[in-house]
Amino acid sequence: MATIQSHKQHEILEAVIIRFVGDSGDGMQLTGTQFSDTSAMFGNDIATFPNYPAEIRAPQGSLYGVSGFQVHIGSVQISTPGDEVDLLVAMNPAGLKTNLHAVKPGHTIIVDTDAFTKKNLEKAQYDSNPLEDNSLENYRVIEVAMTSLTKETLKGVEGLDNKSITRSKNMFALGMVYWMYNRSPDHTIGFFNKKFKSRPEIIEANTKVLNAGLYFAETLELIPNAYTIAPAKMSAGTYRIIMGNTATAWGFLAASEKTGLELFLGSYPITPASDILHELVKHKHFGVKALQAEDEIAGITAAIGASFAGGLAITTTSGPGLALKGEALGLAMIVELPLVVVNVQRGGPSTGLPTKTEQSDLLQSMYGRNGESPVIVIAASTPANCFDFAYQAAKMTLEHMTPVILLSDGYIANGSAPWKIRSVKDMPEIKNNIVSKYHENWHPYDRNKETLARNWAIPGTPQFEHRIGGLEKDKITGNVSYIPENHEYMTKIRAEKIKRVQNYIPDLSTEFTEEGDLLVVGWGGTYGSLYTAVKRLNEEGLNGIGLAHFNYINPLPKNTETVFSKFKKIIVCELNSGQFAKILKINFNNLDLLQYNKVQGLPFGNGELAEKFKQLVK
């Protein structure tokens, strides 16, 4: 947090990192979202990271029941939600204990003292009260009886039970943080009026408590100044804050509108992908058809049926669901129909860490099907560009007539960032292989000479009747064929079709330098952390460090080996045990790679990356 100057009790900052933590019922996600939206309206650049407990009903006050929301706002470019926090708002002892390590020494902690009861301290496994034993002496601790003050504020408000009154305390905390960072409560009050328009007593209660927190903070001697973070300088345009899952859904809506094809989603709800389904069902007016299937297999097979019928078909899931979809994905691949499978990765194996992020499904995406069955694999890298890569996945599957796996992860799917609103008319053209004009020598497996994509004949179109199914096909007619040479030919042609996608994807580029001592390599949702770390080192004068981040994984960009050859050392950084490094070594036999891996259900920290890279170049 860099201080520029102080002026009239408003200390001006470049950026600040705030984390709200408490029980699942304490409303930390709502609190963080409102602060984020208000800051975005003000014009700050922003990145967020919600962190949920894995269990739906984790025991109240327990260490593993803590829900958190981190937000990083600034007048400068913000690429990640940040590492160490400047302000921690802890609504209970468990929230304090599990998050204290992230607070910078000398910085601020706000606690609800009403929650620091003997029972809650025991649940959080404290031997003594940290507010009394001097264990927090390295921090500025602001002790506030938020629950009591909330109850006092709402005396006389009719229509509220005790539970509703207590639940409003998160707005007291939000009001305090609004005052500390010179934010107006108007956006949040407008949110109350819209969301609770049929419950005026809820609007009144939340508004009163929000303002009470704001006024209370102004009287505290422990907060001598309010801070100001100026608006960020961003390219001209209209922006909104968007979550990665929402951006993914909108990317498919844009592709549907661009192509005129009806969008169909066959999905089984699974964390952290469910919000794509939730978002798309809101848009029936765009012709979206969304099916919440009885299981993962039904979700993908319904989508294959929609594709056979001429729709833009997608299915969404996370790691365990991708395993279940494997057989049907092989079916879509052998019949050569367009289909997008969105895999929002989470910690595994099995149920694993369903609310935590990981990049551990890459090898499953590449090879998790029986037989020789390559598909296109691409990955989004920020919450905002989930829109672009959803659109690109639709474009690639329609133009190349083969399934596309779009990889996201819990970090960028649940995170949010500013997104510059796009017009569909400005989006790239999407072609398709639908045939409508019959000619005498037409066959279903006639192929485009450049892409090798086969014809897409929609059922019910006169004279385009043909067979389809999971058995191997004759290379021309599509009829069932057991001829050995034909099977080998079809296996090779399907693989060659994927390889030729290289001709339609951008070359790999590097940031900061095109040659030097160290090339940092990443893929998918680690981009923000890697970019921030490399940027920091370049600003410190270590100019020989470059960054190459991959969005296209199968096939890889054609110039990958050339880019790698210009650096003395290459380090591949992944939130897994080295899956992308394995893929690179398969493709480039003589490649000498270093690896930096983390499998903790957490994103990379900017500091840990910078330290590792510094060691390598020194």
Side-chain angles (χ1 to χ4, degrees), residues 173-333:
L174 181 60
M176 290 185 65
V177 178
Y178 275 167
W179 187 87
M180 288 179 66
Y181 295 101
N182 199 26
R183 312 278 103 163
S184 168
D186 291 349
H187 173 78
T188 298
I189 293 171
F191 168 80
F192 296 154
N193 282 283
K194 183 177 180 180
K195 184 174 179 63
F196 303 113
K197 58 184 177 183
S198 61
R199 299 285 304 278
E201 73 279 8
I202 299 294
I203 296 173
E204 181 185 1
N206 280 290
T207 302
K208 278 191 169 184
V209 175
L210 180 69
N211 285 324
L214 194 147
Y215 301 144
F216 180 81
E218 191 174 4
T219 67
L220 284 178
E221 292 183 4
L222 278 170
I223 312 178
N225 299 322
Y227 303 105
T228 295
I229 299 98
K233 295 178 181 179
M234 304 173 79
S235 60
T238 303
Y239 289 81
R240 64 153 288 163
I241 290 293
I242 197 166
M243 288 179 60
N245 276 336
T246 303
T248 300
W250 288 13
F252 290 125
L253 289 171
S256 175
E257 184 174 342
K258 189 75 171 183
T259 60
L261 299 178
E262 190 174 83
L263 180 62
F264 178 90
L265 168 64
S267 182
Y268 181 74
I270 184 170
T271 302
S274 300
D275 284 339
I276 302 173
L277 170 62
H278 300 159
E279 181 63 28
L280 284 177
V281 297
K282 300 175 184 177
H283 300 288
K284 295 178 182 177
H285 53 287
F286 284 134
V288 176
K289 285 185 169 60
L291 169 68
Q292 181 174 318
E294 64 268 28
D295 56 41
E296 295 282 3
I297 298 169
I300 187 172
T301 51
I304 293 171
S307 178
F308 179 58
L312 172 54
I314 61 175
T315 185
T316 55
T317 192
S318 191
L322 184 63
L324 289 167
K325 293 181 189 293
E327 181 183 2
L329 183 53
L331 171 63
M333 182 268 176

Side-chain angles (χ1 to χ4, degrees), residues 567-585:
F567 290 83
K568 296 176 183 176
K569 294 180 181 178
I570 301 170
I571 184 166
V572 183
C573 304
E574 305 179 68
L575 298 177
N576 57 40
S577 297
Q579 297 186 23
F580 188 52
K582 287 184 175 69
I583 291 170
L584 291 174
K585 288 175 182 177

Side-chain angles (χ1 to χ4, degrees), residues 148-158 160 165 204 208:
S148 300
L149 289 167
T150 297
K151 291 178 178 178
E152 184 68 26
T153 301
L154 296 181
K155 276 184 177 179
V157 178
E158 297 181 357
L160 295 176
I165 291 172
E204 181 185 1
K208 278 191 169 184

Side-chain angles (χ1 to χ4, degrees), residues 74-145:
S75 59
V76 293
Q77 181 184 9
I78 302 297
S79 300
T80 74
D83 292 351
E84 295 180 308
V85 301
D86 302 295
L87 170 65
L88 175 68
V89 179
M91 303 300 284
N92 64 2
L96 176 63
K97 186 162 192 175
T98 54
N99 291 275
L100 181 61
H101 68 278
V103 185
K104 298 174 185 175
H107 285 252
T108 306
I109 302 170
I110 299 176
V111 296
D112 179 8
T113 54
D114 290 329
F116 281 70
T117 62
K118 182 180 178 181
K119 183 178 180 180
N120 283 343
L121 288 167
E122 289 174 353
K123 287 181 179 179
Q125 301 176 19
Y126 273 115
D127 295 325
S128 60
N129 190 336
L131 304 182
E132 300 171 354
D133 63 10
N134 297 321
S135 61
L136 302 177
E137 61 183 358
N138 289 332
Y139 307 96
R140 181 171 65 171
V141 181
I142 301 173
E143 300 182 23
V144 185

Side-chain angles (χ1 to χ4, degrees), residues 351-428:
T351 309
L353 302 173
T355 60
K356 309 302 180 184
T357 197
E358 206 162 280
Q359 291 184 301
S360 55
D361 295 341
L362 182 57
L363 292 181
Q364 180 181 203
S365 301
M366 290 285 292
Y367 308 116
R369 294 163 296 283
N370 67 299
E372 300 282 343
S373 51
V375 299
I376 298 171
V377 181
I378 64 175
S381 50
T382 70
N385 78 18
C386 284
F387 175 90
D388 300 289
F389 284 101
Y391 186 92
Q392 182 69 0
K395 176 179 170 67
M396 295 174 84
T397 197
L398 291 169
E399 293 184 348
H400 297 275
M401 290 296 287
T402 193
V404 174
I405 295 179
L406 170 60
L407 294 172
S408 174
D409 58 60
Y411 181 53
I412 59 173
N414 291 322
S416 59
W419 173 67
K420 189 174 181 179
I421 295 174
R422 311 276 294 277
S423 173
V424 172
K425 65 181 176 60
D426 297 327
M427 300 294 289

Side-chain angles (χ1 to χ4, degrees), residues 424-443:
V424 172
K425 65 181 176 60
D426 297 327
M427 300 294 289
E429 179 187 7
I430 299 179
K431 301 175 182 178
N432 63 57
N433 293 275
I434 295 175
V435 291
S436 56
K437 188 175 182 181
Y438 180 76
H439 58 84
E440 187 175 351
N441 294 320
W442 173 83
H443 298 101

